[in-house]
Amino acid sequence: MSIRFNFGGDEHIFGEVSEDMSLASFFTGLSMTNAVRQAGIKGVTEICPANASFQVRFNPDLIKPQDLLMELQAMEQAAAKSDPVLDTRIIELPVYFQDPWTHETLLRFRERHQDPSSTDLEYSARINGYATVEDFIAAYAGQPWFVSMVGFVSGLPFLYQMVERARQIQAPKYLRPRTDTPKLTVGHGGCFAAIYSVRGAGGYQMYGVTPAPIYDPQRKVRYLTDEMCLFKPGDIVKFKAISRDDYDATLEAIEANTWQPVVRDAKFSLDNFNKDIAGTNAKLMELLK
């Protein structure tokens, strides 16, 4: 399927790879944005990748819209022939599931939920066919996730679980959004996990919190001095379930600025992943040991 291009006002071209999210769609969009960046096209001012789409901003005084469109269409043909292999990173992120802060928050907004009698974890476990919350958490933290985009809120990653489509965890958003969500909440909506980089409104199911800052515009956090956002599209994330004691100890180390997440360089091949999902994931997670 070819990319569907549309003009957005006078300064944008939007490329829709697919209406459905998939790693193949993401890789096509990533290949396109990388190609635009490497080409150094005069007049291109901003490139924004998303889950299964991308947007390019340009200065129409420096390049005609139709000329840029022709450039993008030529890049699409080249991208279709490229081998979908990505030099990336795998990041281990500690998560305190069933924490008291998201629990208190979900109780305050129960009338906005599909099942006011259950917690978000209980509801999500049930609709995904898991016998217990513990089984659900084990599945959630048991396989890696792919960062498909960062945005909507500064530093907020959207993550796509790297399992067979039939096994992907799915959960609807709240019937009506909350006006409050604790900072660093791990939430879920549709097929995407997300980590709330700041406190604010939200509608995703809430499963836990991470003690690790993922966005620091002041760049004071030890591992965010070079980049204010921890995640970037193409990163792979492995959640690590931790206890309250582990959470408190990690938070103490973060406040002392002595802690940093485990990050390893990795190479990801989409073809190899599609041939052997379990084997590919096992090799990725082995890098964290």
Side-chain angles (χ1 to χ4, degrees):
M1 180 182 293
S2 61
I3 298 173
R4 182 165 61 188
F5 291 103
N6 289 290
F7 290 106
D10 297 328
E11 299 182 353
H12 298 86
I13 293 181
F14 176 73
E16 183 181 33
V17 179
S18 172
E19 292 183 356
D20 298 321
M21 171 58 195
S22 69
L23 288 181
S25 298
F26 167 80
F27 265 82
T28 298
L30 184 66
S31 297
M32 288 293 298
T33 54
N34 286 341
V36 175
R37 186 175 295 107
Q38 293 165 7
I41 301 170
K42 183 179 180 180
V44 170
T45 59
E46 191 173 357
I47 306 164
C48 182
N51 293 323
S53 62
F54 60 92
Q55 186 162 274
V56 178
R57 186 179 183 184
F58 62 94
N59 183 340
D61 292 330
L62 298 178
I63 185 170
K64 295 179 180 179
Q66 287 295 337
D67 289 345
L68 178 56
L69 178 60
M70 290 176 62
E71 294 259 19
L72 294 176
Q73 289 171 334
M75 290 176 181
E76 178 186 1
Q77 296 176 10
K81 300 175 183 177
S82 64
D83 184 21
V85 176
L86 180 67
D87 289 318
T88 185
R89 310 176 296 171
I90 182 167
I91 302 170
E92 185 176 73
L93 194 74
V95 179
Y96 178 24
F97 291 97
Q98 301 189 87
D99 67 284
W101 306 287
T102 59
H103 184 75
E104 184 275 332
T105 303
L106 68 86
L107 290 179
R108 284 193 283 122
F109 295 96
R110 223 61 214 137
E111 80 284 355
R112 306 184 183 205
H113 195 270
Q114 291 85 354
D115 183 2
S117 64
S118 299
T119 67
D120 291 8
L121 276 167
E122 290 168 343
Y123 169 73
S124 297
R126 186 177 71 252
I127 65 173
N128 281 280
Y130 291 93
T132 66
V133 166
E134 289 70 25
D135 289 343
F136 179 81
I137 293 172
Y140 212 80
Q143 296 296 318
W145 297 72
F146 205 91
V147 178
S148 57
M149 67 172 283
V150 177
F152 185 74
V153 174
S154 297
L156 184 152
F158 288 83
L159 305 103
Y160 183 79
Q161 194 173 32
M162 297 166 61
V163 295
E164 297 85 350
R165 186 174 290 271
R167 291 178 55 204
Q168 284 182 344
I169 289 171
Q170 306 240 10
K173 294 186 288 185
Y174 275 41
L175 297 175
R176 288 187 294 129
R178 300 177 302 274
T179 56
D180 189 25
T181 307
K183 181 180 178 180
L184 298 177
T185 290
V186 175
H188 199 99
C191 67
F192 289 104
I195 304 170
Y196 287 72
S197 53
V198 297
R199 182 177 182 179
Y204 278 22
Q205 308 288 331
M206 297 181 292
Y207 298 156
V209 294
T210 177
I214 63 171
Y215 172 64
D216 178 21
Q218 304 302 319
R219 300 189 183 184
K220 294 181 178 179
V221 175
R222 178 182 180 183
Y223 53 90
L224 296 176
T225 55
D226 294 330
E227 298 284 346
M228 66 178 67
C229 299
L230 174 59
F231 300 111
K232 56 186 177 183
D235 281 342
I236 297 169
V237 178
K238 172 65 173 60
F239 295 131
K240 178 183 179 182
I242 61 173
S243 66
R244 175 62 188 267
D245 288 344
D246 292 332
Y247 176 89
D248 290 341
T250 304
L251 194 61
E252 183 177 335
I254 289 170
E255 291 173 348
N257 219 12
T258 60
W259 184 91
Q260 61 185 44
V262 177
V263 181
R264 299 286 185 265
D265 290 334
K267 186 177 291 288
F268 180 80
S269 165
L270 182 60
D271 289 342
N272 289 343
F273 176 78
N274 289 331
K275 292 175 184 176
D276 182 9
I277 294 177
T280 299
N281 288 351
K283 290 178 181 178
L284 287 169
M285 292 186 290
E286 188 69 24
L287 297 172
L288 297 171
K289 295 182 179 179

